[in-house]
């Protein structure tokens, strides 16, 4: 009677001891995966900069060249928007319609000159550097020489302009007072870094005024390397479970 009753107790104890480390291992693996996924989501970052846009009368398109290279025709509408964006695809558009007729209504055509309608949008308080308040959005009709660039048209109506050593536009009409394409983390805190253009290189008007996502991916989701790491961890967990079962 004693032997008969003790056998099931030994079996249950062995199973419990076997399941316990396996369950603990799986719990650790799941916790590690959660930490890795959370770290991937926290990597989102952007750049605070002036982006450059071209209007077609109805909508805005991100400029493929910088304002110092573009030679706009008479009747062109162009926009500048200050905001925090991850890359050109994520950039905020100017918050005013690209309507040449309305913007240049009070500036009659003149021989030997061209008119370029400009929308200058300093953005919102959320995008402003610490301690600064964005000025109001405004429009202007620049009347400049026929061969003038977009940068020259902007300078004729929105001084002072500020550039960095690579010719990236940093401030329009003195805003912001400091900084130039600095990297900003997802929670709004400033990080080390600089503005980048649409190709991922340091930004300059000659290339494009847009930063681009880092090669490692800063779009807010886990990178491919992170996902591979999580997959490897989970595979190790599965292997441990099968190994434990074989030892029963």
């Amino acid at each position: 009677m004693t032997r008969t009753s003790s056998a099931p107790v030994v079996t249950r104890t062995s199973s419990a001891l076997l399941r316990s480390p396996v369950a603990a291992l799986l719990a650790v693996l799941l916790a590690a995966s959660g930490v890795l996924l959370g770290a991937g989501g926290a990597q989102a970052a952007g750049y605070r900069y002036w982006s450059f846009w071209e209007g077609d009368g109805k909508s805005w398109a991100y400029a493929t060249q910088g304002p110092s290279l573009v030679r706009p025709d008479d009747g062109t509408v162009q926009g500048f928007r200050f905001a925090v964006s991850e890359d050109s695809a994520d950039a905020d558009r100017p918050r005013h319609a690209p309507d040449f007729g309305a913007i240049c209504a009070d500036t009659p055509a003149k021989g030997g000159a061209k008119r370029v309608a400009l929308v200058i949008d300093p953005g919102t308080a959320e995008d402003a550097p610490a301690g600064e308040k964005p000025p109001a959005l405004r429009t202007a009709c620049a009347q400049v020489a026929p061969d003038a660039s977009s940068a020259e048209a902007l300078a004729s109506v929105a001084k002072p302009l500020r550039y960095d050593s690579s010719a990236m536009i940093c401030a329009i009409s003195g805003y912001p007072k400091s900084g130039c394409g600095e990297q900003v983390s997802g929670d709004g805190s400033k990080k080390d870094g600089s503005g980048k253009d649409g190709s991922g290189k340091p930004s300059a008007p000659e290339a494009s005024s847009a930063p681009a996502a880092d090669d490692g991916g800063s779009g807010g989701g886990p990178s491919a390397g992170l996902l591979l790491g999580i997959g490897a961890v989970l595979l190790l967990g599965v292997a441990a479970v099968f190994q434990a079962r074989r030892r029963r």
Side-chain angles (χ1 to χ4, degrees), residues 62 64 87-88 196-204 207-215:
Y62 201 91
T64 57
D87 52 37
S88 58
K196 298 180 180 180
D197 66 16
S199 63
K201 300 176 181 178
S203 179
S208 173
S209 52
D214 289 336
D215 292 338

Side-chain angles (χ1 to χ4, degrees), residues 69-87:
L69 286 181
V70 176
R71 306 282 171 178
D73 295 328
D74 181 71
T76 297
V77 186
Q78 298 184 325
F80 294 85
R81 171 69 191 268
F82 188 77
V84 174
S85 306
E86 291 182 36
D87 52 37

